[in-house]
Each structure stands twice: as structure tokens, then as C-alpha cells.
């Protein structure tokens, strides 16, 4: 052998071979920064009997991967305008996706495999640069294999890039560009086995930025305008933070500073010793960027500031201080940022990590794959009552660590029916179809079972608000009153004290069915549905029943306000009650 693979690298290669022997479904390998993706690529390329293509989105990655491959005495072509080479003659070609997408006509022969480095950039759009290249290759080989490698399989704004995980759980959906994750290595394994430098996370002993007042979009992304406005009022904090960074970096060799915005980065730069610092942003000219990165790698400058441009595809092993001055809602991005300083280097014992943005992430925390509902949420484990799978959702725990609330929608477990894996259909939150009663995702517009068009909750609320004899309660809670041994009254309250009630008779099977349908799975602090057969059981869990978000009632001439409909698990444009 011309090189020796680490055990996990060998396993990643074997899993790839096994997967593509069974199927042509696009696959993903997830390896932390510094895990040696280039060696996995080199081994797969060495084993190839037909032409393969290794794609990357920046010339630095094309160069790194090709140089690593060639260092083992292997031959390869390079197709990259930035590297001033456009050749496809060898069995293996390392290419820039931009350059190839502009020269599609040159892809006129059969390739057996396409490997995409930093594949979280692939979005599944057939008209994208990656889409054009893959489509062109499939014209010459309908069985083309597509393999992606990344450290961050989840992206804000896009979600999970794969649908199924080889450990038996679901992540994305049918729109995800890759079908299956076939190998994943946790960051903790890399550090504990000394393949990466241990991080030394230190809470800065000075004032943090407070980004808690800023809102994010549905994907957890912050507004640059709002961040600039907030940071503009905290210039003193920025000056103090940078003074602290300079003080703490006296014995450090390479410091990477991650800024929130371009304006913020320029301010940071102004506080650093100019002869020792440089700034890289999206608009930095390529030649200038190359020179800055070269000087940084050669240790001619000590401080390198960037705004969202050096989180991937950047390799400077001497970096031993990561300063985070930007907020993020993504655990994956946080790990990617810290990963810039975890590569091994001579005389490097640890990497100092200081978070001045109050992100409050545990570096080894799993990616939940959903926007964090509130700052006091944490990843919690929730067992599925249907299949027993241990889900990880955002949630809240009490002082003893018991889960008291979680925000998961559907079980992520995969069930093997002998032919293919299917996601468990148990839903923790759901919208019921009016036609067939099937449980659907709370954002569904068409029933997955009977395909009926489902009414939009906002349309229901809007219609009720426009009726004179209808009342809409923004429900902030409920109470249970025992009327007889088998009858209870449920009263719903809104924020202003208005209320309406309905009665359930547990001697009536239909009444029992309706109550269980609405409340059996909506009991706080309980891991599985409660089968309410008696009024006394309801009273036992009275304070744990989750109230609906809205209650719509119609006025009856004889009986007053009667509950017509309840909206649970609401996510729409109307404000829900503050239940904090």
C-alpha cells in the first residue's frame, strides 16, 4: 500500500462499495473537519476501474484533493480555470464544478462515479451547476454513482441533505439531494482517539454580545440589517472583545475571528494590529484572497477575520485560537467553525475556543435539524410509542432532567418491511384530515391518505373572525370540572379571561373516541398516549393536558357559546397565546 487508511476511513470506503453494489441511489459520507476526506477519496479513486470525477466548489479544495492523491505516486487530471488546467485525460479528474458546468460538451464519455466534496452545497436542482454536470454524465451512463462527502449534512435554509441514515432513522425527505448517509463519524470519536486537537472552550471573562433580541427566519437565519443595527450600538463591546482576544492570543500562533457582518468585520479589523491582521469577505478579489491565505498559512499574519467564507474548504493546521463573534442557530455550522482550529500540528496541544456571541452550544451536541424554538430549549431524547425509536428533538427538561415538553413532529425511526425502509408514521404533533381522520403533518395541505385538500387553519380563523355569531379564543389554558362520575366539562380560557366550555360523557363511546383522538397524545411529561376510558383518569392528568392554540365557538340561541372546532399545534400567521 502506498498509504495506510485509518480504521474509520477503511469502513467508509467499504460502506461505499457495499452500497453501490446494491443500488445507484446517491449516498453521503459524513466526516468531521480533519478526518481525512482526501484519503477516502484517494482510495475510492485508486479502486476505480472506469473514469471518475471528483468535484469541489473552490479551487483550493480541487488543489488540496489532487495534491494529496498525486503525493501517493498516482496520476490525475485537473479541470479548473482557477488552477489554469483543463484536462480530462486520466482515469481520475479533480475538477471545479463551475469550470465543468461551463464546459459541459467536454463530458462526452462514460464515468462510473462522481464524488462531490463539501456536498452540503448540492441542492437537488437539476439546473444548478452540480445538476448540469450530473445530468450530462448520466447521458453516457444511466447507472452513474454519486457520492457526497461533508462535515455538515444539515444547512440552514435547506435542511438535511439526505433522506435516510444507515443507523435506521429518517432525516430529510424525498426532495433531499442524497438518498442515504452510509457512514458518519462523530467529532467526539476523532478527538478522543487523538485524530484531532482537543478544543479548550473558555467562557470569556468579559461582556458578551446579546443577540437574544434578534429574530430569525423559519430556517434560523439572522437578518444582516438587524445584526448591523445591534452591533452599531455595541462598539464599546467590540473594542473590549478584541482587546481581550489580543491579550489571550499572546502565545497563540494563528487566530481566526468569525464576524457577524461585513461592517462588523471591518470594525474588528480596525482594532487589531494592522501588520498582523487581514480580512477576507465575499467581495475580496480572488488574487488578494489567495495572497492573504498564503500569508496566514505561512504565519506572516496572525489574525484572520472572515464573514461566512472560510467555514469550509480551508486548511490551516497551525490555527490554535477560534474567536466566535457571530450568532448561529446551527449546531453544524458551529462545529464547522470550531473545526477550523482542530487539525493536528507540531507543538499544538489544544485549540482555544472563545464564543462572544452567546451561542451556548455544546460542541458535541447533535444537530436537531429544526429551528430552536426558544433559548432555553435543549436537545432531548423522546422514545416513539409506536416503534420505540429514540428521537432527538428540541425540548425542555425539569430540574431532575425529565423531559416536560418537546417540539418534535414525527418519529424519525425507519421500519424495514423487507423491500425498503419506510419512516415510522407516528406523529407527536399532527393535523387531522376532516374527510378520513388521518393524521398529517401540521403544515400539510393535502391528506397523505385520502389525498383530500385540507383546510388552511388561517382560513378557518379568518372566516370565524368575520362572523358575528362566532368567537375565536386565543387559548392560554384549560380546566377540567367533574360533573358526574362519567361526565366532565372542559373549559377553555383566552388571554383576556373569556371562556367557553364543552362536555364529554364517558358513558358514550363516540364521546370517548373524540376525547382520546384530541388529547390522548397531547399530555405533557408522558412518553406514550393515555387511553382515557374514564372521567377519573382525565381528572388525574388534568394539569398535563395540552390546550389547543385556538378554539372556535358558535353562538347558539338556547345553549350559548358552543365549541365548533379546536386548532392544535398551530403554525401560521396569527399570534398564539403566551403560555410562558
Amino acid at each position: 500500500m502506498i498509504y495506510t487508511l485509518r480504521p474509520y476511513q477503511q469502513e467508509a470506503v467499504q460502506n461505499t462499495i457495499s452500497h453501490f453494489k446494491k443500488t445507484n441511489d446517491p449516498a453521503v459520507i459524513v466526516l468531521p473537519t480533519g478526518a481525512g476526506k482526501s484519503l477516502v477519496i484517494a482510495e475510492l479513486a485508486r479502486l476505480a476501474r472506469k473514469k471518475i470525477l471528483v468535484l469541489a466548489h473552490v479551487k483550493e479544495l480541487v488543489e488540496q484533493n489532487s495534491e494529496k492523491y498525486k503525493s501517493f505516486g498516482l496520476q490525475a487530471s485537473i479541470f479548473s480555470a482557477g488552477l489554469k488546467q483543463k484536462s480530462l485525460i486520466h482515469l481520475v479528474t479533480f475538477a471545479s464544478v463551475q469550470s465543468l458546468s461551463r464546459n459541459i460538451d467536454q463530458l462526452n464519455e462514460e464515468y462510473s462515479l462522481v464524488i462531490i466534496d463539501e456536498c452540503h452545497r448540492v441542492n437537488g436542482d437539476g439546473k444548478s451547476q452540480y445538476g448540469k454536470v450530473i445530468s450530462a454524465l448520466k447521458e453516457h451512463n444511466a447507472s452513474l454513482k454519486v457520492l457526497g462527502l461533508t462535515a455538515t449534512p444539515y444547512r440552514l435554509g435547506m435542511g438535511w441533505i439526505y433522506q435516510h441514515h444507515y443507523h435506521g432513522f429518517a432525516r430529510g425527505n424525498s426532495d433531499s439531494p442524497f438518498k442515504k448517509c452510509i457512514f458518519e463519524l462523530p467529532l467526539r470519536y476523532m478527538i478522543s482517539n487523538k485524530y484531532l486537537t482537543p478544543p479548550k472552550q473558555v467562557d470569556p471573562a468579559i461582556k458578551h454580545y446579546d443577540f437574544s433580541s434578534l429574530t430569525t427566519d423559519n430556517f434560523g437565519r439572522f437578518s444582516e440589517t438587524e445584526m448591523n443595527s445591534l452591533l452599531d450600538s455595541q462598539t464599546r463591546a467590540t473594542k473590549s472583545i478584541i482587546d481581550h482576544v489580543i491579550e489571550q492570543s499572546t502565545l497563540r500562533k494563528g487566530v481566526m475571528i468569525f464576524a457577524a457582518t461585513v461592517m462588523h468585520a471591518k470594525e474588528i479589523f480596525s482594532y487589531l494590529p494592522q501588520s498582523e491582521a487581514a480580512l477576507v469577505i465575499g467581495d475580496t478579489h480572488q488574487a488578494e484572497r489567495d495572497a492573504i491565505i498564503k500569508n496566514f498559512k505561512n504565519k506572516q499574519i496572525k489574525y484572520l477575520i472572515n464573514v461566512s467564507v472560510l467555514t469550509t474548504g480551508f486548511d490551516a493546521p497551525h490555527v490554535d485560537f477560534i474567536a466566535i463573534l457571530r450568532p448561529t442557530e446551527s449546531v453544524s455550522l458551529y462545529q464547522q467553525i470550531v473545526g477550523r482550529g482542530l487539525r493536528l500540528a507540531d507543538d499544538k496541544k489544544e485549540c482555544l475556543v472563545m464564543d462572544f456571541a452567546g451561542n451556548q452550544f455544546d460542541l458535541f451536541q447533535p444537530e436537531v435539524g429544526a429551528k430552536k424554538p426558544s433559548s432555553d430549549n435543549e436537545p432531548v431524547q423522546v422514545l416513539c410509542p409506536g416503534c420505540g425509536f429514540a428521537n432527538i428533538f428540541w425540548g425542555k427538561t425539569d430540574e431532575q432532567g425529565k423531559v416536560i415538553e418537546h417540539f418534535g413532529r414525527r418519529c424519525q425511526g425507519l421500519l424495514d418491511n423487507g423491500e425498503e425502509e419506510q419512516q415510522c408514521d407516528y406523529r407527536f404533533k399532527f393535523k387531522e384530515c376532516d374527510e378520513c381522520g388521518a393524521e398529517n403533518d401540521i403544515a400539510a395541505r393535502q391528506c397523505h391518505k385520502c389525498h383530500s385538500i385540507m383546510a388552511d387553519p388561517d382560513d378557518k380563523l379568518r372566516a370565524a373572525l368575520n362572523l358575528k355569531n362566532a368567537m375565536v379564543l386565543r387559548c392560554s389554558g384549560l380546566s377540567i370540572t367533574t360533573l358526574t362520575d362519567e361526565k366532565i366539562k372542559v373549559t377553555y380560557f383566552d388571554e383576556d379571561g373569556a371562556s367557553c366550555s364543552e362536555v364529554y360523557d364517558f358513558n358514550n363511546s363516540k364521546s370517548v373516541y373524540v376525547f382520546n383522538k384530541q388529547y390522548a397524545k397531547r399530555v405533557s411529561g408522558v412518553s406514550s398516549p393515555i387511553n382515557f376510558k374514564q372521567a377519573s383518569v382525565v381528572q388525574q392528568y388534568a394539569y398535563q393536558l395540552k390546550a389547543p392554540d385556538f378554539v372556535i365557538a358558535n353562538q347558539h340561541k338556547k345553549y350559548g357559546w358552543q365549541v365548533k372546532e379546536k386548532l392544535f399545534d398551530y403554525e401560521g400567521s396569527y399570534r398564539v397565546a403566551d403560555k410562558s
Side-chain angles (χ1 to χ4, degrees), residues 256-276:
M256 289 190 72
I257 301 173
F258 291 83
T261 68
V262 173
M263 186 183 299
H264 185 216
K266 290 178 179 177
E267 181 191 357
I268 291 169
F269 179 67
S270 71
Y271 300 139
L272 290 164
Q274 301 296 288
S275 61
E276 298 180 66

Side-chain angles (χ1 to χ4, degrees), residues 548-568:
D549 292 302
F550 291 95
V551 175
I552 300 173
N554 287 349
Q555 193 170 34
H556 191 278
K557 291 182 180 180
K558 184 177 180 181
Y559 301 109
W561 292 107
Q562 291 191 307
V563 175
K564 177 187 177 184
E565 190 161 13
K566 298 183 286 293
L567 301 182
F568 292 89

Side-chain angles (χ1 to χ4, degrees), residues 285-296:
H285 191 275
Q286 188 62 54
E288 182 184 358
R289 180 184 300 195
D290 292 345
I292 289 172
I293 291 174
K294 182 179 179 182
N295 290 338
F296 182 68

Side-chain angles (χ1 to χ4, degrees), residues 21 119 128 160 210 331 336 399 412 441 509 517 564 572:
K21 279 184 177 179
C119 68
S128 68
W160 293 99
D210 182 8
V331 181
Q336 189 75 287
E399 294 179 354
Q412 297 170 340
D441 185 79
S509 60
K517 188 70 176 174
K564 177 187 177 184

